């Protein structure tokens, strides 16, 4: 099905020359335009620990007061101010308060250890920090990281609370679109933590251009369950919602029971998450159907197949009515679109959600690209693709192999300014003419849809000279409920030839392990049986030749991706 991108950002024309100049507004101007258009729309909402609601007018009032406070405290243009904590309206208000003051916001991963966060604070030149109450006394307790002030995202007797802040009314420092708005610390494209510098233009243009592949509306309700410091949630949920006057519901815990409760109570229409969560949801749903017996399961699967066929062929979604009783179990009865990002997703999961009547798509991008570069249109999706390039995004495939897979390079207004205080690392991935080496491998079709193979750095070279990407093998494990984590790495089998075999590390699901009284021999036998099943699905050169059942969870990022290189170092 052919797809033609739209330009839903054309409404900006009526504000150009009044509220902003140039092609795109800066972040402050973008939020303010939504406040003018939808002052009474719900902006931010949270349920835990108590319900909070802010309309756009109420949110902007608090955001301005935070900016007045920071300016009265002596904040200057270009000052870097950190924000770290669990997802909350207060986090959002602090973030935008920094922007309204004309400073640079540095979102920090709340899951970092104290010394790790202090290292980033020191390296990034962060002078002030908003953080949750439970950690405010521990971060930079001795002053060695260089903070001059700490502010609390929760009410606290010892430190200023974000919702109580105010000061003499004054405009913040002016910021041009090409000036840095945020510095996001990431593993980057070469594995070492780096500060990705993103300008107002990077973030705002990416926010609007992504809408060329997907319409969102002021009536939508987004759900922020993934850590909001991460580029994916920050842009695809936080920024996208307020760019059109939509609402954001903030979730604090990646616990399925609480997620389902908040999806229902919040009447969420836009649900963005990572593969792990979507796999768990559909896996649990289908396991429940299977318990009703083989006949019922076969009937439901046949109906799903028919629903998916009709939707793909005609664009008519009959699944939502057919499977409303199942969607209610996932609290998705109000859902309009589900979007998966942050890692590879099995085509089977993609397909099943669409068969059930959910407009389910996936996208692609990196922190270094603000992050969205590709997004599947809901009306023209391809299950095996991570999406169609958004308007303004250029792609080239460098050094393709015989299958057309090569290193993916990206160019466009969404590409970062560079790495903070690290010109050498910047030069490694960003060419003088603006092409970013993503470090990912894949190919693009004639219609601009991208297909990923894996990360160039994690490729396994077999004794037959074949390249195997771990992600391709790991995909086959994602719907096995008895496995909690799986990580595929290479192991050296011929030092002289530098050829590798394929090894899988498996951490069993606690529910399964408990069901067999944590009997190691039984667990290892079952895991090897699963590997045998997976091997039957794989091409001969991709087959797993070594299995290790690990006793402890493998380290993960805040977006629930296994830290492959750290794991490899642990088990080599």
């Amino acid at each position: 099905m052919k797809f033609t991108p739209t330009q839903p950002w054309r409404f900006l024309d009526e504000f150009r020359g009044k509220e902003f100049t140039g092609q795109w507004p800066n972040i402050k101007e973008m939020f303010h335009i939504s406040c003018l258009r939808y002052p009474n729309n719900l902006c931010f909402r949270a349920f835990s620990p108590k319900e909070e609601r802010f309309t756009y007018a109420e949110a902007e009032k608090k955001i301005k007061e935070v900016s007045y406070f920071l300016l009265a405290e002596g904040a200057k243009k270009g000052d870097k101010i950190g924000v770290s904590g669990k997802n909350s309206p207060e986090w959002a208000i602090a973030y935008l308060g920094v922007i309204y003051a004309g400073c640079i916001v540095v979102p920090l991963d709340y899951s970092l250890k104290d010394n790790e966060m202090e290292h980033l604070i020191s390296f990034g030149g962060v002078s002030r920090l908003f953080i949750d109450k439970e950690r405010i006394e521990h971060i930079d307790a001795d002053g060695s990281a260089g903070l001059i002030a700490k502010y609390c995202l929760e009410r606290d007797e010892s430190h200023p609370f974000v919702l109580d802040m105010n000061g003499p009314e004054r405009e913040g420092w002016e910021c041009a679109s090409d000036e840095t708005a945020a510095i996001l610390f990431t593993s980057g494209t070469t594995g070492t933590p780096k500060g990705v510098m993103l300008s107002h233009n990077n973030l705002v243009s990416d926010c609007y251009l992504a809408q060329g592949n997907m319409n969102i509306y002021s009536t939508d309700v987004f759900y922020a369950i993934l850590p909001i410091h991460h580029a994916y949630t920050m842009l695809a949920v936080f920024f996208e919602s307020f760019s059109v006057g939509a609402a954001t519901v903030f979730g604090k815990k990646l616990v399925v029971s609480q997620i389902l409760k908040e999806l229902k109570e919040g009447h969420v229409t836009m649900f963005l998450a990572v593969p792990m969560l979507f796999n768990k949801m559909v896996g649990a749903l289908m396991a429940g159907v299977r318990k009703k017996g083989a006949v019922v399961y076969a009937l439901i699967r046949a109906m799903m197949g028919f629903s998916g066929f009709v939707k793909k062929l005609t664009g008519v979604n009959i699944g939502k009515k057919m499977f409303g009783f199942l969607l209610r179990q996932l609290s998705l009865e109000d859902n309009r679109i589900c979007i998966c990002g942050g890692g590879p997703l099995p085509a089977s999961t993609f397909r099943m959600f669409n068969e059930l009547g959910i407009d389910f798509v996936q996208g692609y991008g990196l922190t270094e690209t603000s992050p969205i570069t590709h997004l599947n249109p809901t009306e023209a999706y391809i299950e095996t693709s991570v999406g169609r390039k958004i308007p303004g995004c250029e792609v080239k495939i460098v050094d393709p192999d015989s299958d057309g897979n090569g290193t993916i390079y990206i160019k466009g207004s969404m590409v970062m300014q560079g790495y903070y205080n690290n010109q050498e690392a910047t030069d490694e991935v960003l060419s003088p003419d603006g092409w970013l080496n993503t470090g990912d491998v894949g190919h693009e079709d004639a219609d601009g849809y991208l297909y990923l193979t894996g990360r160039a750095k994690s490729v396994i070279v077999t004794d037959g000279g074949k390249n195997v990407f771990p992600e391709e093998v790991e995909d086959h494990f994602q719907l096995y409920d008895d496995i909690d984590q799986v990580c595929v790495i290479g192991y050296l089998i011929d030092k002289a030839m530098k050829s590798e075999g394929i090894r899988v590390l498996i951490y069993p699901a606690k529910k399964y392990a408990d069901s067999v009284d944590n009997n190691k021999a039984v667990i290892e036998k079952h895991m090897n049986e699963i590997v045998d099943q997976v091997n039957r699905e794989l091409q001969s050169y991709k087959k797993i030749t070594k299995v290790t059942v690990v006793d402890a969870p493998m380290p993960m990022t805040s977006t629930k991706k296994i830290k492959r290189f750290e794991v490899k170092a642990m088990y080599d």
Side-chain angles (χ1 to χ4, degrees), residues 148-304:
I148 61 173
K150 291 184 281 188
Y151 313 125
C152 202
L153 296 174
E154 300 165 301
R155 199 170 295 282
D156 176 64
E157 294 178 1
S158 305
H159 299 86
F161 171 46
V162 63
L163 296 186
D164 290 339
M165 290 180 171
N166 209 337
E169 188 172 328
R170 57 166 284 192
E171 280 296 312
W173 303 95
E174 288 190 16
C175 290
S177 287
D178 61 355
E179 293 185 89
T180 302
I183 299 174
L184 277 63
F185 283 97
T186 172
S187 60
T189 54
T190 54
T192 308
K194 302 180 186 74
V196 177
M197 297 187 295
L198 299 175
S199 68
H200 288 265
N201 188 64
N202 287 150
L203 292 161
V204 173
S205 68
D206 194 50
C207 176
Y208 285 120
L209 291 171
Q211 294 172 36
N213 283 18
M214 180 179 295
N215 288 321
I216 55 176
Y217 307 102
S218 61
T219 50
D220 276 320
V221 179
F222 286 73
Y223 184 46
I225 184 57
L226 300 175
I228 201 169
H229 77 273
H230 192 274
Y232 175 33
T233 313
M234 190 181 75
L235 195 289
V237 176
F238 183 41
F239 274 59
E240 291 290 0
S241 65
F242 72 67
S243 74
V244 298
T248 295
V249 171
F250 294 91
K252 290 192 176 183
K253 293 181 180 177
L254 266 171
V255 177
V256 172
S257 58
Q258 185 165 329
I259 290 170
L260 298 183
K261 184 173 181 286
E262 291 176 341
L263 285 172
K264 188 181 292 289
E265 288 185 23
H267 302 288
V268 171
T269 65
M270 302 288 293
F271 181 30
L272 287 79
V274 290
M276 182 193 75
L277 184 54
F278 284 123
N279 287 331
K280 280 188 175 182
M281 290 174 71
V282 78
L285 182 70
M286 299 318 296
V289 174
R290 198 176 283 111
K291 285 180 181 176
K292 297 184 182 297
V295 174
V296 172
Y297 180 75
L299 179 62
I300 293 291
R301 294 296 283 123
M303 291 168 64
M304 287 171 62

Side-chain angles (χ1 to χ4, degrees), residues 500-542:
E500 297 177 289
I502 298 170
R503 180 185 186 186
V504 64
L505 304 168
I506 296 174
Y507 179 63
K510 185 178 185 301
K511 186 176 180 181
Y512 164 72
D514 289 345
S515 73
V516 296
D517 298 322
N518 290 288
N519 186 308
K520 190 170 183 179
V522 172
I523 292 171
E524 287 185 349
K525 182 175 182 291
H526 183 51
M527 295 302 142
N528 274 281
E529 288 170 350
I530 290 176
V531 172
D532 288 342
Q533 292 176 34
V534 168
N535 272 340
R536 286 196 284 271
E537 301 169 5
L538 295 169
Q539 293 166 276
S540 58
Y541 68 92
K542 294 181 182 177

Side-chain angles (χ1 to χ4, degrees), residues 428-439:
E428 285 178 7
V429 299
L430 192 58
S431 69
D433 58 349
W435 283 100
L436 176 78
N437 179 347
T438 68

